[in-house]
Amino acid sequence: MTEPQLYEPGPANLARVLKDGEKWTLILVKELRHSPEKVWQALIDPAQVREWAPFVVDASLGALGTVNLTWVGAPTPIETKVTRVEAPKALEYGDMKWELEASGRGTRLTLWTKINRGFVSMGAAGWHISFDVLDHLLSGTPIGRIAGGDATKFAGWQRLNAEYAEQFGVKAPNWPPNTPKR
């Protein structure tokens, strides 16, 4: 496993937002060098989800029904309904919608998720890093999940939070609260 400090995320260029009231739709797109089938398995298999996503699930996301989803750092699972499964193209559960599209020799992965506008830059920074961790995992060079409170202490997350805030026209939350502003 690669040490996380050796990983440096690229610039804030994976996300955009649709602004609507207090809950905005955060849209992230990542080009992956892996087949849609391989990416699909990483999206639905609980063991793989645990390696890259900011949450864990207690069952496969690859079938309609209910799973318990627990966000990193949250004490209580959330009963979440899987409402759309079209392998290996589309997946929806909770307030997340995923689309996979064959692109060149890989997959264009798109996530739509609702997030409070006050935290949209934080969400974009976190998902940006999660997508990079996913890419490393699928490439056979896992760096370990960087999510929740651990992610906010990571210098790359701090930079991305500020860059996405500027891109979206919002004030970057100073998170964690005692972190010096960049």
Side-chain angles (χ1 to χ4, degrees), residues 15-124:
R16 61 186 172 94
V17 292
L18 299 176
K19 300 176 181 182
D20 183 25
E22 288 301 307
K23 285 266 189 172
W24 289 1
T25 301
L26 176 62
I27 304 163
L28 294 104
V29 178
K30 177 77 174 177
E31 297 288 339
L32 298 165
R33 302 169 309 243
H34 315 284
S35 71
E37 293 77 17
K38 187 172 184 178
V39 175
W40 177 260
Q41 285 305 309
L43 293 182
I44 66 167
D45 174 37
Q48 290 188 61
V49 168
R50 178 180 294 280
E51 296 296 317
W52 68 270
F55 55 82
V56 296
V57 290
D58 68 346
S60 173
L61 292 164
L64 297 176
T66 302
V67 300
N68 287 311
L69 184 148
T70 307
W71 291 92
V72 171
T76 309
I78 301 166
E79 189 173 275
T80 304
K81 292 201 180 306
V82 178
T83 55
R84 181 178 177 201
V85 176
E86 295 176 28
K89 296 181 181 205
L91 178 65
E92 292 183 33
Y93 53 89
D95 67 356
M96 288 181 260
K97 176 174 122 179
W98 300 85
E99 287 190 0
L100 296 82
E101 179 184 351
S103 173
R105 289 193 247 153
T107 302
R108 176 175 293 120
L109 177 63
T110 305
L111 167 65
W112 287 262
T113 188
K114 295 279 189 181
I115 191 164
N116 182 296
R117 72 182 192 156
F119 298 98
V120 72
S121 63
M122 292 172 62

Side-chain angles (χ1 to χ4, degrees), residues 125-163:
W127 279 112
H128 182 123
I129 290 170
S130 290
F131 278 19
D132 286 353
V133 171
L134 171 62
D135 193 34
H136 278 273
L137 176 68
L138 294 173
S139 295
T141 57
I143 59 174
R145 178 169 55 187
I146 304 170
D150 289 341
T152 65
K153 297 172 193 159
F154 178 55
W157 183 91
Q158 295 290 331
R159 177 183 53 79
L160 286 169
N161 182 33
E163 289 176 9

